[in-house]
Amino acid sequence: REREPGASEAAPEAAVLFAWGANSYGQLGLGHKEDVLLPQQLNDFCKPECVRRITGGGGHSAIVTDEGGLFVCGLNKDGQLGLGHTEDVLYFTACRSLLGCPVQQVACGWDFTIILTENGQVLSCGSNSFGQLGVPHGPRRCVVPQAIELLKEKVVCIAAGLRHALAATASGIVFQWGTGLASSGRRLCPGQTLPLFLTAKEPSRVTGLENSKATCVLAGSDHSASLTDAGELYVWGSNKHGQLASLAAFLPLPQKIEAHCFQNEKVTSVWSGWTHLVAQTGLLWLRA
């Protein structure tokens, strides 16, 4: 990492990782299953200053290092840690099946994990009860990461929700799989035929985004979002909590959040929580 011009020549303080909160499955990586009320320092399973990404799912956690290593811990009853077994893991542990295959990004769903390698390949492990692993005719669960062969083009971004997942390719196409949004869609859009990508158990192109190029995809519990290279934000799925900035209870197809909602600024970054979204423009932060 380059030091900013004018920065002090003194050696920087060593980076440290902390964890706290719910810990019923050991997802904090502290070696036990007791909830933690105050931040506790993690042991040095890797150099903290080399951590690239940290993410978590329903009861499991994952860390990606600058070298592309993947470390996981927590709930593992469906093999979502990708370690080849189904025992819970109390410390961050290297996913050795991916050694020699550097990881770029990891997305943790409720009980499954989606992995993006540096060469643009997508793998998945964990529960497949709702087709969230993207493997046609696949097993009910998978304890070792397996490639999603139907994603043939290089992928640049992935996301995982409660029971669905997404990928954006280098050419800006968005794919979705897993039937997690379908039950809400059928209930809230009675008599309406849902688009294929809401009911697919293998990667299906998200229709309604043909005139845009996606650079990033996101997922909440029951919604999806896509950010384009033009700074436009498209959303679809459940709007139960108003997270899609729409009057509709459910959006079966992507709908652009109008620019005036962002004070006519282009959106530069977006993050999704379980039932909310946060967007950053060039000037300020906005919530939905």
Side-chain angles (χ1 to χ4, degrees):
R1 300 167 191 250
E2 295 183 356
R3 188 171 61 250
E4 293 182 4
S8 170
E9 294 296 326
E13 292 185 18
V16 181
L17 285 174
F18 291 89
W20 64 98
N23 194 35
S24 302
Y25 308 102
Q27 62 263 50
L28 299 184
L30 294 169
H32 60 79
K33 292 186 177 184
E34 300 297 321
D35 290 354
V36 177
L37 301 182
L38 294 173
Q40 286 192 17
Q41 183 175 338
L42 285 158
N43 65 354
D44 294 330
F45 59 90
C46 71
K47 294 179 179 178
E49 62 271 20
C50 294
V51 170
R52 180 192 295 170
R53 297 174 184 266
I54 304 174
T55 188
H60 65 297
S61 306
I63 286 178
V64 178
T65 68
D66 284 340
E67 295 78 25
L70 175 62
F71 292 82
V72 292
C73 68
L75 180 62
N76 194 35
K77 73 179 183 66
D78 289 299
Q80 54 262 57
L81 300 186
L83 299 176
H85 61 78
T86 57
E87 298 296 320
D88 293 351
V89 175
L90 306 185
Y91 292 99
F92 277 100
T93 302
C95 188
R96 299 196 177 280
S97 65
L98 295 174
L99 290 178
C101 187
V103 173
Q104 175 67 31
Q105 182 191 355
V106 60
C108 295
W110 183 255
D111 51 10
F112 67 102
T113 305
I114 306 295
I115 300 161
L116 174 63
T117 68
E118 289 186 353
N119 65 7
Q121 185 180 39
V122 181
L123 303 97
S124 61
C125 57
S127 172
N128 196 35
S129 298
F130 296 86
Q132 60 266 59
L133 298 188
V135 182
H137 315 298
R140 181 186 166 276
R141 68 184 184 187
C142 181
V143 299
V144 175
Q146 58 182 337
I148 301 179
E149 301 290 355
L150 290 174
L151 287 171
K152 300 186 182 302
E153 185 184 348
K154 180 179 180 181
V155 170
V156 296
C157 185
I158 55 174
L162 179 67
R163 292 164 176 165
H164 74 290
L166 301 108
T169 69
S171 64
I173 297 173
V174 176
F175 290 89
Q176 181 169 308
W177 61 94
T179 62
L181 275 61
S183 58
S184 295
R186 293 189 185 100
R187 185 176 70 254
L188 297 171
C189 303
Q192 186 173 341
T193 300
L194 297 179
L196 178 61
F197 67 83
L198 291 182
T199 60
K201 294 185 177 182
E202 55 194 54
S204 177
R205 183 171 180 172
V206 176
T207 50
L209 297 172
E210 290 78 11
N211 297 321
S212 63
K213 180 180 179 181
T215 58
C216 175
V217 286
L218 306 103
S221 167
D222 214 18
H223 67 261
S224 301
S226 172
L227 180 63
T228 74
D229 61 351
E232 297 174 330
L233 180 59
Y234 286 84
V235 293
W236 61 98
S238 172
N239 191 37
K240 181 179 180 180
H241 301 277
Q243 64 264 47
L244 306 188
S246 169
L247 295 177
F250 187 92
L251 295 176
L253 291 169
Q255 179 173 293
K256 183 174 75 173
I257 297 182
E258 294 301 329
H260 68 79
C261 294
F262 303 115
Q263 300 183 358
N264 293 312
E265 291 286 330
K266 291 183 178 180
V267 176
T268 56
S269 298
V270 186
W271 296 265
S272 180
W274 216 229
T275 54
H276 74 289
L277 290 161
V278 178
Q280 182 182 16
T281 67
L283 296 177
L284 48 94
W285 297 69
L286 295 155
R287 296 184 303 173

